[in-house]
Amino acid sequence: GLLALWSCIARPDCVLGLSDLGGRRWLHSAQGWWPPRYLGERGGGAFLVGVGSSVIYRLDGLLVAVWMPGEKVAFYAVAIAAAGACTMIGQAAGMLVFSDLRGITEVIHQRSVILRGVAGALGATSAVAIPLAAIAPRAIQLVYGSAFVPAAGATRLLVLASIPLAADYLLLHALL
């Protein structure tokens, strides 16, 4: 259900980010710190995408807390903790891209650094998320006890969802 909600919203920030890989030409331009006019014209859309992304990141937690019984919320909290760890790894790997972008003025090189960073973030997140999804019931039993093993399904879903979130996070912050 939550994955369907996420996919129906279509992650507009990801779509805009992928279509705009060359859109940061002003990043290291000689014009100084003041961005060109088109940035102001497109800035409103970028702001809305940022707000929308923040709502989407938090919407599932709000829906779960409002509509599910307390026991299911506890299971969801276990799933969120595991997914948060995977997401953090992807975000950390993606953050390396920002230092690599410093000093690069050519759009084609910026694009290649961002794409390499997306691949690295996806790889790092996948390296943790896929094995964790495979051993979720056992890992949950070890960490939280057997009473929380029913959280394995939600944990698997959210841990695997952290893989595309790694790309989303990097693209959102690198391109807006």
Side-chain angles (χ1 to χ4, degrees), residues 127-162:
V128 175
I130 293 171
L132 183 56
I135 65 164
R138 181 71 181 130
I140 291 169
Q141 185 177 17
L142 275 167
V143 175
Y144 295 100
S146 59
F148 286 91
V149 171
T155 300
R156 285 181 169 142
L157 179 70
L158 292 180
V159 160
L160 292 174
S162 70

Side-chain angles (χ1 to χ4, degrees), residues 11-170:
R11 302 299 303 160
D13 50 321
C14 225
V15 173
L16 286 176
L18 286 171
S19 68
D20 194 34
L21 277 173
R24 298 275 306 249
R25 290 188 177 118
W26 60 271
L27 185 63
H28 293 286
S29 69
Q31 297 176 10
W33 67 274
W34 194 253
R37 179 175 301 221
Y38 78 85
L39 182 65
E41 294 167 359
R42 295 184 65 198
F47 176 75
L48 292 175
V49 168
V51 169
S53 180
S54 295
V55 168
I56 292 167
Y57 283 136
R58 305 291 185 252
L59 184 61
D60 61 330
L62 176 66
L63 295 175
V64 166
V66 169
W67 287 331
M68 294 186 132
E71 177 182 281
K72 298 233 185 224
V73 173
F75 294 150
Y76 186 72
V78 169
I80 286 290
C86 293
T87 301
M88 180 183 62
I89 290 166
Q91 290 173 351
M95 291 299 238
L96 296 174
V97 170
F98 298 122
S99 63
D100 291 344
L101 283 173
R102 185 181 37 217
I104 297 177
T105 58
E106 296 178 20
V107 174
I108 192 78
H109 289 117
Q110 290 173 349
R111 184 177 299 142
S112 69
V113 168
I114 291 171
L115 291 174
R116 194 171 54 244
V118 168
L122 289 172
T125 305
S126 297
V128 175
I130 293 171
L132 183 56
I135 65 164
R138 181 71 181 130
I140 291 169
Q141 185 177 17
L142 275 167
V143 175
Y144 295 100
S146 59
F148 286 91
V149 171
T155 300
R156 285 181 169 142
L157 179 70
L158 292 180
V159 160
L160 292 174
S162 70
I163 297 170
L165 275 177
D168 176 71
Y169 178 86
L170 176 63

